[in-house]
Amino acid sequence: MHRAVSEGIATLAHQGRITATSAMVLSPHWQQDVGLLKPLRNRIDVGLHLDWTSDFAHQAGHGLTLAGALLACALRRISARQARPVIERQLDAFESAWQAPPDHVDGHQHVQQFPGIRDALVQLMTERYGSAGKRPYLRISKLPAGTADFKAQVIAAMGAEPLRNLAQKRGLPAAPALAGVYDFGGDLSDYDQRMQAWLNTSPAGTLLMCHPGLALSADQTAQEPHDPIAAARQREYHYLASAPFQARLQSQGIELVRGSDLYSF
């Protein structure tokens, strides 16, 4: 997204506090910031953050608001045929800089699950990586059993089950559940309590989503688009880098591992 987010992600990955990251390849920062990830090759999963709704997508000429993308896909105004070249361009941009296929594919604001987009994505992944050793896995926003968070339920309703069914039919691996959804509010103590709840209720293999980042300098802030969750990014970064997070993992007997070691076949 921008250099401060990239640096925060790379720092946490070097510390072993996160095991995957997703690239917004439409960002003008991608070609440079990919250099932060190259020392981490084969230590973390690096995947594509498929994008239809960010400022970068608008600058690329296919951007929509989240509501607009949902409506257009629901009404089939974005067909698989129309979605395909947009996805291909983003996969090409990823592979050109990373010099390898993505370990996984997810989506900005969960667009990978929307009708039309999901059909094109699954078809393309099957064709493009059908003969690869390990196929990229998909992030599917299926909730751990018993999740009561309304936002998480809305996200799951945006197409988690249809995407899972498509992936299974095509033999594509996928994470079994997604945790880490919240309203980006609260303080460090609130985030710790949420983390405890996520870890308590998530089955083995759950993908726990996070959004860490460092703070932009004053000069950088003036140059970058407004980030509505900047404060939450900094909170998450400081928590994930902290001793209490490591202690919580140890006390609950949890090991952080790469999804490609769990899901891919």
Side-chain angles (χ1 to χ4, degrees), residues 9-10 21 23 30 33-41 44 46 98:
I9 288 168
T21 189
W30 167 235
D33 287 5
V34 68
L36 295 169
L37 298 175
K38 289 182 177 177
L40 294 157
R41 191 182 293 273
I44 67 167
V46 178
W98 186 238

Side-chain angles (χ1 to χ4, degrees), residues 50-182:
L50 191 62
D51 184 8
W52 243 271
T53 60
S54 77
D55 289 336
F56 308 130
H58 283 271
Q59 292 161 10
H62 65 266
L64 297 167
T65 63
L66 175 58
L70 271 170
L71 182 62
C73 289
L75 296 177
R76 299 296 177 172
R77 291 176 183 162
I78 297 179
S79 66
R81 179 180 59 82
Q82 293 167 315
R84 184 183 176 103
V86 177
I87 299 171
E88 284 183 311
R89 285 195 296 271
Q90 294 187 48
L91 286 169
D92 288 345
F94 179 93
E95 293 181 9
S96 174
W98 186 238
Q99 295 296 297
D103 291 305
H104 64 270
V105 178
D106 56 28
H108 189 57
Q109 298 185 315
H110 308 271
V111 297
Q112 82 279 11
Q113 301 186 154
F114 294 3
I117 294 174
R118 66 181 176 237
D119 303 278
L121 176 61
V122 168
Q123 182 181 40
L124 260 173
M125 288 179 67
T126 304
E127 295 172 4
R128 194 163 177 139
Y129 308 115
S131 60
K134 280 190 174 183
R135 286 180 166 186
Y137 62 88
L138 285 164
R139 185 188 79 195
I140 297 177
S141 303
K142 182 177 175 62
L143 309 179
T147 301
D149 182 87
F150 179 70
K151 180 179 177 181
Q153 291 175 340
V154 169
I155 289 171
M158 291 156 77
E161 204 56 40
L163 179 57
R164 176 177 296 282
N165 292 338
L166 276 175
Q168 287 177 340
K169 287 178 183 177
R170 293 298 189 104
L172 291 175
L178 178 75
V181 180
Y182 72 113

Side-chain angles (χ1 to χ4, degrees), residues 180-261:
V181 180
Y182 72 113
D183 62 3
F184 300 114
D187 56 19
L188 277 173
S189 175
D190 295 319
Y191 192 69
D192 178 57
Q193 291 177 19
R194 291 186 175 107
M195 183 63 69
Q196 181 178 10
W198 293 329
L199 297 179
N200 282 339
T201 58
S202 298
T206 296
L207 195 158
L208 202 160
M209 179 173 61
C210 57
H211 311 76
L214 296 173
L216 287 166
S217 68
D219 290 343
Q220 290 172 322
T221 300
Q223 297 170 9
E224 297 293 341
H226 172 65
D227 181 3
I229 66 166
R233 290 188 196 283
Q234 294 166 48
R235 259 194 317 274
E236 291 188 31
Y237 171 82
H238 289 297
Y239 178 78
L240 295 171
S242 70
F245 174 55
Q246 186 70 8
R248 186 166 296 289
L249 293 175
Q250 291 172 348
S251 68
Q252 295 186 232
I254 290 171
E255 180 185 2
L256 303 180
V257 296
R258 294 173 62 185
S260 58
D261 292 334

